[in-house]
Amino acid sequence: KQEVTQIPAALSVPEGENLVLNCSFTDSAIYNLQWFRQDPGKGLTSLLLIQSSQREQTSGRLNASLDKSSGRSTLYIAASQPGDSATYLCAVHRANSKLTFGKGITLSVRP
Amino acid sequence: DAGVIQSPRHEVTEMGQEVTLRCKPISGHNSLFWYRQTMMRGLELLIYFNNNVPIDDSGMPEDRFSAKMPNASFSTLKIQPSEPRDSAVYFCASSRRRLAGGFFGELFFGEGSRLTVL
C-alpha cells in the first residue's frame, strides 16, 4: 500500500525566505507525482506535475524535484510572499491505481 | 475552460435525509474522481470513473453511498440516508487518462461541496 508523508504539518517563515517542502512515498513504482495548493475553503489547484521519467519541473518561483529511488519529492519556493500562504499537498499515482495524497503542509508566510 | 463545476457549494441537512452532489468535469476529460476531505483523514478517494464506467469504488464507505456517471459531462454522488459522520467536503476531479500505459494526466479539482449533516 502506497503511503505519502509530508512533514512538518505546518511551517511559518518570514517573507522573502526560500523554502523547501518535503514529500516522501513508500512505493517507488510511480507514474507521476503532482503538487497542489489549497487555500482555505477552496478546492485544490494543480501547481506542478512530474512524470516518473522526469527529475524536475519548474513554474515561475516554484521548482519541484523527484527522486524515485529514494521515494522523495521536494517543492522549492523562491522568495516567498504572503500570498504563498496555503496548504501544499503532494500526490503520487501508480499504474491503474488510486492517486494517494499526503495530508499537506500548511505554510504561513509572515509579512 | 470553465474547470470542474460542482453543486451545491454548501449543503446542510438533517440526519436521514438524502443528499445528492453534482459534478460537471472538464470537457474532453475521460476520467472523473470523487474525493472526500476531513481534518482527521485528509483526502480520501471514494470512486473513480473512466469513460463513464466505474473502475474502482473500493473507497466508498458503505452502501449508503452511490455514484453514477450517465454521460461524459455529468456525475452524481448520492448519500441515502445521510449521517452526521458524513459531514465533510466532497470534491470532484477530472483528468485525461492516457490510453497507452493507462496512467492519468494532470488532475483538476472543483471547488468542493461542503456537507453538514445535523
Side-chain angles (χ1 to χ4, degrees):
Chain A
K1 178 185 175 184
Q2 177 73 274
E3 293 184 2
V4 180
T5 304
Q6 294 185 256
I7 296 174
L11 184 64
S12 180
V13 301
E15 181 177 4
E17 188 164 302
N18 301 324
L19 58 103
V20 172
L21 306 180
N22 294 306
C23 171
S24 62
F25 46 94
T26 53
D27 186 344
S28 63
I30 67 170
Y31 265 144
N32 61 42
L33 183 145
Q34 194 168 354
W35 280 93
F36 295 87
R37 167 184 173 140
Q38 185 174 28
D39 292 286
K42 299 289 188 180
L44 281 70
T45 300
S46 177
L47 296 174
L48 290 164
L49 172 71
I50 310 178
Q51 303 291 354
S52 62
S53 58
Q54 298 174 321
R55 297 284 296 189
E56 63 179 272
Q57 282 284 341
T58 297
S59 175
R61 294 183 294 109
L62 305 179
N63 175 277
S65 68
L66 175 63
D67 184 342
K68 280 178 48 180
S69 61
S70 65
R72 295 179 65 183
S73 175
T74 61
L75 179 67
Y76 174 82
I77 302 177
S80 59
Q81 303 170 358
D84 295 329
S85 298
T87 297
Y88 292 81
L89 300 96
C90 70
V92 298
H93 181 237
R94 291 183 294 160
N96 297 324
S97 69
K98 304 173 186 179
L99 193 67
T100 304
F101 280 84
K103 292 199 171 179
I105 298 173
T106 298
L107 173 66
S108 174
V109 180
R110 307 186 302 272
Chain B
D1 201 315
V4 178
I5 299 173
Q6 292 186 246
S7 65
R9 291 294 313 277
H10 301 275
E11 174 96 6
V12 180
T13 190
E14 292 189 347
M15 184 173 64
Q17 296 298 306
E18 178 179 295
V19 174
T20 299
L21 307 178
R22 298 172 178 79
C23 174
K24 176 179 169 56
I26 292 174
S27 177
H29 283 188
N30 55 1
S31 294
L32 182 140
F33 307 78
W34 282 101
Y35 284 89
R36 177 171 68 177
Q37 187 178 41
T38 61
M39 288 292 292
M40 290 296 295
R41 301 172 70 91
L43 269 165
E44 302 173 282
L45 178 65
L46 302 177
I47 185 172
Y48 81 86
F49 295 83
N50 189 54
N51 293 326
N52 312 338
V53 176
I55 303 300
D56 184 349
D57 65 354
S58 60
M60 296 286 261
E62 48 199 273
D63 292 346
R64 297 184 297 106
F65 285 69
S66 63
K68 294 182 179 180
M69 191 165 186
N71 57 61
S73 59
F74 184 67
S75 177
T76 59
L77 178 67
K78 186 174 293 187
I79 308 172
Q80 167 63 22
S82 58
E83 297 182 3
R85 59 193 170 116
D86 301 330
S87 298
V89 181
Y90 291 81
F91 288 103
C92 176
S94 70
S95 73
R96 192 188 311 273
R97 180 170 176 153
R98 302 187 185 189
L99 297 179
F103 60 92
F104 300 103
E106 193 172 2
L107 198 64
F108 294 87
F109 279 74
E111 291 288 292
S113 294
R114 181 175 295 275
L115 173 65
T116 303
V117 183
L118 303 173

